[in-house]
Amino acid sequence: MALAIGSPSPERRARPRLWLVFAAVGIAGFALTLAGLAFVRVYDNQLIRQTESELIAQGAVIAEVFRERLRATVPEGAYGRERTAPWPFPIPDDTRLRPILPSLRASDASLPPGDTPRPSRVPAEPLSHAAGLQLTPLLEQVRAATLAGIRVVDTEGVVVASSSPALLWTTLADRTEVQRALRGEPVSVLRRRVADPEDTPLASLSRDTGIRVTVALPVLEGDRVWGAVVLTRTPMTFAKATYADRWNLTATGFVLLGAVALMSLAAAALVGRPVRALVKQTRAIAMSDPSGFEPMARPVVAELAELSESLAGMATALRDRNQYIRSFAANVSHEFKTPLASIQGAVELLRDSADAMSPEQRARFLANVDADARRLTRLVQRLLELARADSMTATPAQVELGPLLEGLALRARADGATDIHVTAPPAGLKVSLPQEVLDDVLWQLVTNARQHGGDTVHVDLSVEQAPEADLVRVVVKDRGKGISESNRARIFDAFFTTARERGGTGLGLTIAQSMLRAFHARLELLPSDTGTTFAVVAPVPWLQRK
């Protein structure tokens, strides 16, 4: 019994609290976000593009310096190569601008490692050679600060200036990026890097990674290519960048974890309180406590509010249904008790005094037994009809009112009703009810009018607009003696009847109301100066609504 009112299960298992679930979800989301960033290599892309941008900036300055040195010595006339490659980046309206944008990604294919340049078989171009000798000391100083390898080549790919003097007079003409740069196209590529055994400590300045970023920029004078600047550098690795910024990242991580924990606790508090209120409400419903039949006051979450309202509505419906069943059982017991007691009394008299009775007395007692048995049969039949009406499933259906009312009047006249009149409804007017349901209900109303007023009672059948725009009333009005004010409030109660001596069971209107309710219709008792007026209020089909 304890379990029925919501006490804890006898099987005690450890279960997480809501705050722990929210915290776990938040931390898992945080971890998945970091894992996703690592998977798509967002940070690696940023490190590579940062290195590429730095090399482009350095290369653009060096190319300009080299061009100015050459311009001072180049004679009038064509010098260098004609630029044949188109500019790979969008050029603004101002044609003086030639933007060079970073374009590398960590997922780009890497070229093979560059071999040690070989000495050139072709001598360097003299003017480029002279300009390069002046530039080499500057490149050595730049390399000491930026750790980038810098080469300046002439139009044949011969190194004329270098941050490493040992590479002077070697050739880079076999490099793809150099060939493209000498055609006038700025190029950025990734090349695989051979690991150096000394590249181990995280804190060292050595760029311990498996790739190098190479940028090759043409030295341009108008539409002529005077040479190229080639820069290489190993980008910072994700591990080294993380290690270098470890304290800031650790502090940020703790702040984010704290924020996730606070948000999880806040969410658990906001959701946990309504959930506990729901548990309390269900236990109150199980114990028939009145507090369980009201929705909780501050549900916070819309879904929990709907759930609480649904629980309250379900509890109210179950309570009403339970009260209906109890009342119904009491009424059934009362209705069955009277004829059964009469039958039992008659049987006992016949068994004990049948020989002393006259034939007329025995016939009267037997007639009473027969009448009570018939009444019990009618009660059972009506109870079965009520059960079917209560469990009826609504199926979409329509019926036209004009032919149905005319057919009902003809049937009533054939059954003995002498004064029944039909006011024709608008042609084609339909209601959303099955024909058999509306016919049974209206026949019940006509039968009640004849039962209380006789076969000569005047009955009017008509149709009128209901107060609701999408409903109509099918009105059954008689000119009988009517219903007293004291009985009007009880007319739809089960087993209430004023014609019990004529075989009435008091279930006809109850059955009719139950049948209509399944189709969102209803039965009403309307005010009337004379006689009785009932109305079946039913919806009209969507296409006929005004």
Side-chain angles (χ1 to χ4, degrees), residues 252-267:
T252 303
F254 279 120
V255 170
L256 290 176
L257 288 176
V260 168
L262 290 177
M263 292 174 62
S264 301
L265 291 174

Side-chain angles (χ1 to χ4, degrees), residues 336-352:
F336 272 72
K337 184 184 298 182
T338 301
L340 285 174
S342 178
I343 291 174
Q344 186 178 6
V347 170
E348 288 178 356
L349 284 174
L350 288 172
R351 183 177 59 211
D352 296 338

